[in-house]
Amino acid sequence: EDQDQESDNMDMSLEEAMGDGQQEPNSDKQNKMAEMAKEIAEKLMEDFKEQWEPVKENLEAAEKAFRGLDGLLDGPKGFDLTQGLWTDRGWRDLDQLRRKLQDLKELRELVRELGRGSGKGPLVRARAQVSRARKPIGVVRSPVEPSETRGLTRSGDLSLMVPSEAALLAGPKYTRMLVRRRFLERTLLTYERSGWYEETSRVLDRTEVRPSATRGPIIVCLDTSGSMMGAREVVAKALVLECLRQAHQQMRPCFVYAFSGPGDVQELELKVDAASMQKMLLFLRMSFNGGTDVDEPLWRSLRRLKEAEWSDADMLLVTDGEIQPPNVELVGSLNAAKEELGLKVHGLLVGDAGSRGVMETICTQIHEFKAWDTVKKENSSLY
């Protein structure tokens, strides 16, 4: 309605500029109409810029966080501003957390460890990877895993020498000398044996037929009680963002149970689509408060592990350690899942106020956030 009213006002302005057609010379009328049209165009451009400037910034934040916008641009009619996703102020918080993650290497490495299963699934066409130190774990073709013959190459491996090279060893002295020379120069014609091997790697722009990642899902139990306010809250939200980023890049399911007092548990499935991102941005805007009851999120996690899609998931409990001992029956169920399903429960202690004692009854491995002092010295919160 506002747009229609504004359009009517513009039409009226143009009509006024045109007049009756008899009172002013044509040149004056044309000049007046040109000035009016220029003012209207400038007003339209200002309105357009005001509407799209925050959208542009939010699109850039999403692109940087997820390295692509597939799944986020679909509304009822394609790219849709009416759903409010791209005008949500939570994108500002997300971008601040993304930049914070660049300094929190240990959080990124912790998330990479989560999820059981191999990184070598069915062959698919995907972006190629090459071995690089100090990069995320990936799958690269390497002679360390000689599981298949890919062709011929030059090397110094006598065990892979082709028959034509081996035949030279049975010839005169000069042919045997030729083989020795090629061996020393590593130019023997040999079979190329290699396979897919998990190691740190960098993703390339080109594609290749390669194994898909099949690391298991991630279930996060996140303490959002009052004791987690401030700098701890920043670390917790940064961890959730990193889980979302890696789950998206590796096509792995990820689910978050954000818990505080008894019965107060929020469920959040981390996906890079419009509906899920609305919930994610709302989570980033929320403030942590309330008591702490760790039993309910752990019970819900165990029930989720019984579903086929989540049966090989790892669990991550994120807290400051200020939690009550869990129910004895719950501890027994966790221990049974650890034995029967191979479940690993990782614990991340954020801050220095809590105790490891309760965490040790729940977790198979406890990680202490070593960069805590650094985060605490910086702004205690991003908000």
Side-chain angles (χ1 to χ4, degrees):
E1 293 179 3
D2 293 340
Q3 291 178 347
D4 293 339
Q5 182 65 43
E6 187 174 346
S7 177
D8 292 340
N9 292 338
M10 291 179 181
D11 291 339
M12 291 174 63
S13 299
L14 284 172
E15 289 174 3
E16 291 172 1
M18 293 173 64
D20 297 332
Q22 302 295 328
Q23 298 176 358
E24 300 181 41
N26 288 336
S27 60
D28 292 341
K29 292 179 186 176
Q30 290 172 353
N31 290 339
K32 194 170 184 180
M33 288 179 63
E35 291 176 5
M36 185 64 69
K38 181 179 179 181
E39 291 177 5
I40 293 172
E42 290 176 350
K43 178 67 166 60
L44 287 173
M45 290 301 297
E46 289 175 4
D47 292 344
F48 181 84
K49 183 178 180 180
E50 182 180 352
Q51 181 184 21
W52 280 91
E53 191 67 28
V55 174
K56 172 178 171 290
E57 293 175 359
N58 292 340
L59 284 166
E60 290 174 350
E63 174 68 28
K64 291 176 182 177
F66 306 117
R67 300 178 186 175
L69 301 175
D70 295 345
L72 286 174
L73 299 181
D74 294 332
K77 299 179 181 179
F79 183 72
D80 188 5
L81 279 178
T82 62
Q83 62 183 335
L85 174 64
W86 297 110
T87 57
D88 196 306
R89 63 185 178 87
W91 287 108
R92 180 199 62 184
D93 302 332
L94 183 144
D95 195 51
Q96 289 176 320
L97 287 171
R98 179 192 63 79
R99 283 185 265 119
K100 175 69 68 177
L101 276 168
Q102 295 175 355
D103 301 324
L104 301 178
K105 180 181 177 182
E106 62 179 291
L107 284 187
R108 303 197 304 270
E109 292 180 345
L110 171 60
V111 176
R112 291 191 192 105
E113 293 180 20
L114 302 175
R116 286 163 286 144
S118 169
K120 295 180 284 187
L123 293 177
V124 296
R125 178 161 288 281
R127 292 175 66 181
Q129 298 179 15
V130 62
S131 179
R132 284 291 185 276
R134 297 185 296 277
K135 292 290 183 179
I137 291 291
V139 181
V140 299
R141 187 171 284 282
S142 170
V144 175
E145 184 102 0
S147 57
E148 60 183 6
T149 300
R150 301 192 64 229
L152 299 177
T153 187
R154 295 285 182 179
S155 74
D157 193 336
L158 291 172
S159 65
L160 297 177
M161 188 168 52
V162 300
S164 60
E165 295 278 30
L168 295 177
L169 292 174
K173 181 178 180 180
Y174 70 90
T175 62
R176 296 196 299 272
M177 292 293 294
L178 177 62
V179 172
R180 293 191 183 99
R181 177 181 174 180
R182 289 178 179 175
F183 171 71
L184 293 173
E185 294 175 345
R186 302 184 63 81
T187 57
L188 285 171
L189 187 61
T190 60
Y191 295 110
E192 182 183 359
R193 298 274 296 169
S194 64
W196 297 104
Y197 183 69
E198 291 185 61
E199 65 175 327
T200 55
S201 62
R202 180 172 66 88
V203 179
L204 306 177
D205 291 332
R206 63 179 177 84
T207 62
E208 65 180 355
V209 176
R210 54 178 294 102
S212 59
T214 58
R215 288 197 177 279
I218 305 170
I219 299 176
V220 182
C221 296
L222 181 67
D223 184 355
T224 60
S225 62
S227 62
M228 288 283 289
M229 290 179 64
R232 294 187 181 101
E233 181 178 331
V234 173
V235 175
K237 290 179 177 179
L239 179 70
V240 171
L241 175 59
E242 184 60 20
C243 287
L244 172 59
R245 282 157 51 96
Q246 293 202 31
H248 172 60
Q249 293 170 13
Q250 301 169 8
M251 296 181 291
R252 301 163 62 190
C254 186
F255 205 94
V256 174
Y257 293 104
F259 67 94
S260 54
D264 189 359
V265 180
Q266 295 186 40
E267 298 187 356
L268 181 66
E269 186 165 7
L270 300 184
K271 294 181 178 179
V272 180
D273 58 41
S276 300
M277 284 307 305
Q278 288 275 23
K279 296 178 181 178
M280 175 69 178
L281 297 177
L282 178 62
F283 168 77
L284 295 180
R285 294 200 306 270
M286 67 174 275
S287 297
F288 290 6
N289 57 66
T292 309
D293 177 22
V294 74
D295 286 14
E296 182 61 25
L298 291 178
W299 277 123
R300 295 192 189 190
S301 299
L302 286 172
R303 287 195 290 270
R304 185 164 292 275
L305 283 169
K306 295 179 181 179
E307 302 175 15
E309 181 184 3
W310 299 89
S311 60
D312 59 346
D314 272 354
M315 290 170 55
L316 173 63
L317 174 61
V318 183
T319 179
D320 56 2
E322 298 183 26
I323 55 177
Q324 296 297 316
N327 181 281
V328 175
E329 182 182 354
L330 172 59
V331 174
S333 298
L334 279 171
N335 291 336
K338 292 172 187 176
E339 289 189 14
E340 296 170 8
L341 301 176
L343 170 67
K344 292 182 180 179
V345 183
H346 295 258
L348 177 64
L349 275 173
V350 182
D352 45 19
S355 169
R356 294 174 60 100
V358 177
M359 296 285 283
E360 288 174 349
T361 64
I362 301 172
C363 304
T364 53
Q365 186 175 356
I366 299 175
H367 310 262
E368 292 190 11
F369 184 58
K370 297 177 182 178
W372 170 244
D373 289 336
T374 303
V375 174
K376 194 165 54 172
K377 288 176 183 177
E378 297 174 357
N379 295 331
S380 61
S381 175
L382 291 176
Y383 312 97

